[in-house]
Amino acid sequence: MILGVSFSCWSSISNVAAVDGPEKPTTLPAENPFAAPSPLPLHAPAFDKFRTDYFLPTFAFGMKQQLDEMNSIASQADAPTFENTIEAMERSGVLLTRVDNVFSNLTSAEKNEALQKIETELAPLKAAHWDNILLNRRLFQRVEKIWQKKESLGLSEEQSEVLKQRYESFLRAGARLSDQDQGRIRSLNEQLSKLETKFEENLLAIAKERAVVVDKAEDLDGLSAAEIAAAAEDAKGRGLAGKYLLQISNTTRVPVLTSLNNRALRRRVWEASADRGLGRNGGLDNRGLVLEIAQLRAERAKVLGYDNHAAYKLQNQMAKTPAAARKLLTDLVPGVLERVKQESRDLEAMIKECGESHELAPWDWEYYAEKVRKARFAIDEGAVRPYFELDSVLKNGVFFTMNKLYGISFRERKDLPVYHADVRVFDVLDRDGSQIGLFYADYFKRDTKRGGAWMSSFVDQSKLLHEKPVIVNCLNIPRPAKGEPALISFDNVTTLFHEMGHALHGLFSDVTYPTVSGTATPRDFVEFPSTFEEDWAIQPEILANYARHYQTGERIPKALLDKAISAKKFNKGFETLEYLAAALLDLEWHSLTSEQIPADVELFEAESLKKVGAGHPAVPPRYRTAYFAHIWSGGYSSSYYAYLWSEALAADAFAHMMAKGGCTPENGNVFRKEILSRGSSRDPMLSYKAFRGSEPTVDALLIRRGLK
Ligand SMILES: [Zn+2]
């Protein structure tokens, strides 16, 4: 799971296939806590009142209610105005949003079988719901009439942006097409959703099929006793008692490659991973599926009036065009290749040092990189962690920084109900003591929580709906033994700052309309505020305040800290190149017209990587075509570049702020006003320029990644 932010705003846009729904209830019983706004402060969720069996009927009722609202907007006799149409749409679906915001975080943070079942049942209903709205011709005609006379309406900047997003969401769903073409879109959507699901199912089966069986324990030399025991256990689970099973991971790289001493076995494992989905040795073949998905996406883009799928997907993103996204990536390639060259020289020297004479193959990279890392940056995690006690990192690090920069403070309260005993709640107060919102912190790992870290909202800020933000951060920090302090890794320190960046994006939101509130921004913008806040964690003045030994109160020794920071920049050439190769591959596949879809997946992949200059014999793409789940089934088609795009903004913004005095209230005020408070209420590049005075460059990104 990525470090993420979850989107669950029902006023926002989706593009989905039509499915028929079940009977919809006409009322909700009064004891259903979703029937009315929560009586708690800031409409915080009444977690003590929810029952699992409330969810499905509440969703069904909420969908019906919003559909009724949309139908009455569409059928009113008055001529369309911004207020009676766009604003009325913004007011719709309040109950649906209320239940979905709670439900979606519960299914991530405190899942059980019953919730899982409801989630599966809901998926097609949610999909059909938005088709029912966006393909409503009468509704679209009203929106279009407003759009056509927008210049004469005296709309504010935010209203213009809301109108634009609403209008585009109809167009992007196919609202203007003929009945025949709309039928074609529905059918393409339906086929695609089936193929994408099939791709995902295949991937699970392929991962199982490609796991490597090892006969003898001595071949596993280099793995820890625990890893060997796990491999034996996995083999037993497959009826192969006495043998060992090495699993492959999602990415081309496989974790065991860092430590397996047997080079022939390393090669077997790497090939099992990198050649998956190609139908080798009678195994599952994903290639036909990929070609079909690419074909249908290209056809859909054409029907919708776009050159290709990438042009369609990026039209409403910050990059706007595939060319702009591609430029960011290809501009970095030469510098990254230079760094990869240095790194490979170090690895080749290490191969010699180990008394061997073979070339550096992809299955060697991580193995020798680990040896170089140990020699140069050997960090004893156990020595570092006592300086990172969770509560100190949170209060003296994260909250301290947010106070210095934005003047806000956090005050814990114990009176609000929570969904798990681990969850803590804080009032977030502005400089003048007024309340900005509520912040829920759910930091410890548990079985009912999915992996990764994310931010989500229970209530989205909106002046129209008189709502202040109620925000949650979830992490997966290992729980300490009872009575012991939570001493956390440096990675988790960074993650705390990162997720607080997402939280502030929700908390500082100061907009009128829900569609543009908080983190409801383009995908290539949303990781910008979070990545930006990460870099405070290593500023000396901040560190001095929080990185103190939990027993003695001593500051972390500089040598130890320097090592921990340098270690984070190690192997960045390899990591950046494998990412760039995958991101460019994604854009290449989705820049094809339906006539250009090739017949040979592997040939197209090789030629594409060569064309963009990102092909390297020892550094394969992070994901190869046949198992690139982000782009074939994960919602990131044409968008894998977005991570680096956001990071480029974050690095540039941080460098700019450091040049202007660093962590000061003046700097914080500008960032809050121009970036964090705006949501997507104006074009993101305009917001960026308002903060920065110019467009970003990639210089700071290169430094951040240790590439310059
Ligand atoms: Zn994130």
Side-chain angles (χ1 to χ4, degrees):
M1 199 54 221
I2 57 166
L3 295 178
V5 49
S6 64
F7 299 94
S8 52
C9 180
W10 279 81
S11 307
S12 65
I13 309 318
S14 61
N15 178 17
V16 288
V19 186
D20 290 326
E23 282 291 301
K24 301 200 167 69
T26 48
T27 55
L28 281 185
E31 76 270 15
N32 181 323
F34 293 110
S38 159
L40 298 171
L42 274 51
H43 300 148
F47 287 109
D48 52 343
K49 304 270 195 310
F50 299 145
R51 284 192 349 225
T52 305
D53 60 338
Y54 286 146
F55 285 115
L56 264 181
T58 310
F59 269 103
F61 180 77
M63 287 184 207
K64 183 186 181 303
Q65 194 178 61
Q66 187 172 34
L67 220 48
D68 290 347
E69 287 164 336
M70 291 291 187
N71 284 333
S72 37
I73 296 169
S75 57
Q76 62 192 313
D78 293 347
T81 65
F82 184 88
E83 288 70 25
N84 74 17
T85 302
I86 304 295
E87 197 165 287
M89 291 170 75
E90 291 290 311
R91 288 182 196 278
S92 74
V94 166
L95 191 146
L96 189 54
T97 303
R98 189 183 302 143
V99 63
D100 193 50
N101 281 356
V102 168
F103 181 77
S104 58
N105 196 58
L106 281 185
T107 52
S108 296
E110 189 60 3
K111 198 171 198 159
N112 56 38
E113 259 180 53
L115 288 176
Q116 163 82 60
K117 209 171 148 253
I118 296 169
E119 195 181 27
T120 310
E121 265 184 72
L122 273 174
L125 304 183
K126 285 180 169 187
H129 180 66
W130 270 100
D131 254 5
N132 289 337
I133 292 169
L134 292 175
L135 296 178
N136 179 329
R137 285 200 193 273
R138 277 197 300 174
L139 193 57
F140 175 62
Q141 280 158 11
R142 291 185 74 87
V143 174
E144 192 168 40
K145 280 197 181 126
I146 301 165
W147 175 256
Q148 282 158 352
K149 56 178 181 184
K150 59 185 184 297
E151 267 82 28
S152 63
L153 297 177
L155 299 179
S156 69
E157 187 178 38
E158 182 180 340
Q159 287 173 326
S160 302
E161 191 60 34
V162 173
L163 171 61
K164 176 170 156 274
Q165 290 184 27
R166 286 282 179 187
Y167 177 63
E168 281 179 354
S169 70
F170 279 95
L171 287 187
R172 291 172 61 78
R176 204 191 253 156
L177 300 178
S178 66
D179 285 349
Q180 194 189 349
D181 280 347
Q182 278 191 355
R184 179 81 186 121
I185 292 290
R186 276 208 189 89
S187 145
L188 284 167
N189 283 343
E190 195 188 334
Q191 288 177 68
L192 275 166
S193 77
K194 283 182 189 158
L195 293 173
E196 288 164 9
T197 308
K198 181 73 184 149
F199 182 90
E200 203 160 293
E201 284 169 14
N202 276 5
L203 271 196
L204 287 174
I206 288 171
K208 212 174 154 195
E209 148 202 310
R210 304 290 290 178
V212 174
V213 181
V214 179
D215 293 334
K216 301 185 301 254
E218 53 261 42
D219 287 340
L220 300 178
D221 185 36
L223 298 191
S224 69
E227 283 170 322
I228 294 175
E233 200 55 43
D234 285 350
K236 210 167 144 189
R238 295 261 192 102
L240 297 165
K243 297 193 179 187
Y244 304 88
L245 202 69
L246 297 178
Q247 312 275 9
I248 56 171
S249 48
N250 295 341
T251 53
T252 306
R253 320 197 217 173
V254 182
V256 291
L257 292 180
T258 56
S259 45
L260 268 181
N261 289 327
N262 182 327
R263 187 167 189 245
L265 182 55
R266 282 208 304 273
R267 179 176 185 159
R268 261 179 76 202
V269 172
W270 186 85
E271 285 175 347
S273 173
D275 294 344
R276 86 186 87 161
L278 300 176
R280 299 270 155 86
N281 308 320
L284 263 166
D285 193 339
N286 252 350
R287 289 174 298 180
L289 212 49
V290 163
L291 293 175
E292 213 179 334
I293 294 173
Q295 176 77 38
L296 297 182
R297 285 178 180 168
E299 279 176 33
R300 183 176 58 186
K302 192 174 175 188
V303 178
L304 289 167
Y306 293 86
D307 288 344
N308 52 55
H309 182 71
Y312 166 66
K313 286 290 282 190
L314 269 56
Q315 175 263 330
N316 64 354
Q317 298 293 296
M318 194 174 174
K320 292 198 164 61
T321 64
R326 190 178 282 114
K327 184 173 182 331
L328 169 77
L329 305 172
T330 49
D331 279 0
L332 291 178
V333 169
V336 172
L337 281 173
E338 202 45 49
R339 178 59 187 266
V340 166
K341 214 185 270 174
Q342 286 169 20
E343 288 174 1
S344 50
R345 274 199 293 267
D346 287 348
L347 302 193
E348 279 154 5
M350 182 54 86
I351 293 175
K352 276 205 189 100
E353 218 172 286
C354 294
E356 289 165 51
S357 58
H358 56 76
E359 48 157 20
L360 177 66
W363 44 90
D364 296 321
W365 190 288
E366 291 187 88
Y367 179 75
Y368 292 100
E370 181 62 13
K371 288 192 185 299
V372 174
R373 192 187 69 78
K374 272 192 178 140
R376 289 201 195 152
F377 308 108
I379 303 173
D380 178 3
E381 271 279 333
V384 178
R385 287 185 186 220
Y387 296 93
F388 299 139
E389 191 270 314
L390 174 60
D391 227 43
S392 175
V393 175
L394 186 64
K395 289 182 174 154
N396 306 321
V398 179
F399 293 171
F400 170 76
T401 309
M402 301 312 138
N403 180 263
K404 269 180 75 96
L405 203 51
Y406 308 110
I408 57 170
S409 47
F410 293 76
R411 189 180 60 199
E412 188 155 13
R413 58 189 294 169
K414 309 268 188 186
D415 58 328
L416 292 176
V418 289
Y419 56 88
H420 188 280
D422 283 348
V423 182
R424 299 164 71 180
V425 188
F426 299 85
D427 285 320
V428 185
L429 305 172
D430 217 337
R431 268 195 190 90
D432 61 3
S434 62
Q435 182 148 29
I436 295 173
L438 286 168
F439 174 66
Y440 288 55
D442 179 3
Y443 290 142
F444 291 124
K445 192 180 180 70
R446 56 179 174 267
D447 289 345
T448 48
K449 204 193 245 185
R450 72 167 159 85
W454 64 94
M455 164 272 198
S456 171
S457 57
F458 294 127
V459 181
D460 299 301
Q461 182 275 333
S462 159
K463 285 187 264 197
L464 182 77
L465 304 178
H466 308 289
E467 297 287 13
K468 286 188 175 189
V470 179
I471 303 294
V472 59
N473 271 179
C474 292
L475 274 75
N476 267 285
I477 296 173
R479 181 190 305 280
K482 212 168 181 180
E484 294 294 314
L487 305 178
I488 71 177
S489 68
F490 189 39
D491 275 348
N492 272 326
V493 171
T494 309
T495 306
L496 277 172
F497 277 87
H498 178 101
E499 295 307 328
M500 178 54 74
H502 284 308
L504 291 184
H505 205 178
L507 287 162
F508 285 154
S509 178
D510 188 19
V511 301
T512 302
Y513 301 101
T515 282
V516 295
S517 176
T519 53
T521 67
R523 187 160 261 169
D524 53 8
F525 188 81
V526 78
E527 294 294 325
F528 157 37
S530 52
T531 310
F532 168 85
E533 303 292 353
E534 281 179 19
D535 290 355
W536 296 118
I538 51 170
Q539 293 311 305
E541 54 180 316
I542 311 285
L543 272 162
N545 202 59
Y546 79 88
R548 286 168 179 271
H549 197 283
Y550 78 105
Q551 282 165 321
T552 64
E554 265 178 290
R555 286 186 190 171
I556 187 166
K558 190 172 180 307
L560 192 59
L561 184 72
D562 287 348
K563 253 191 177 176
I565 293 170
S566 312
K568 281 183 86 108
K569 290 190 175 167
F570 176 70
N571 208 32
K572 279 289 180 192
F574 175 94
E575 285 175 21
T576 309
L577 186 59
E578 66 159 9
Y579 168 84
L580 289 177
L584 283 161
L585 198 53
D586 168 29
L587 286 173
E588 290 301 307
W589 272 113
H590 290 112
S591 297
L592 299 172
T593 65
S594 59
E595 293 80 30
Q596 292 170 326
I597 305 296
D600 186 330
V601 167
E602 287 162 276
L603 185 66
F604 179 79
E605 180 178 298
E607 283 177 349
S608 296
L609 291 173
K610 199 171 158 200
K611 185 178 117 192
V612 299
H616 186 287
V619 188
R622 191 170 163 78
Y623 300 93
R624 292 183 63 198
T625 304
Y627 52 92
F628 202 164
H630 283 80
I631 69 165
W632 301 121
S633 60
Y636 263 80
S637 59
S638 319
S639 303
Y640 196 59
Y641 78 94
Y643 295 103
L644 203 73
W645 186 282
S646 284
E647 190 184 337
L649 294 173
D652 186 71
F654 196 83
H656 172 71
M657 205 179 267
M658 290 312 284
K660 291 191 74 179
C663 193
T664 66
E666 293 74 26
N667 281 338
N669 283 346
V670 180
F671 196 68
R672 176 172 171 178
K673 175 169 175 274
E674 304 297 352
I675 303 287
L676 297 175
S677 72
R678 302 276 173 162
S680 60
S681 64
R682 71 176 165 192
D683 180 275
M685 188 55 95
L686 290 181
S687 289
Y688 195 81
K689 287 202 281 198
F691 155 70
R692 171 73 165 92
S694 64
E695 290 195 4
T697 70
V698 297
D699 299 346
L701 173 70
L702 294 177
I703 295 168
R704 188 176 196 271
R705 293 207 149 217
L707 300 169
K708 196 173 174 180

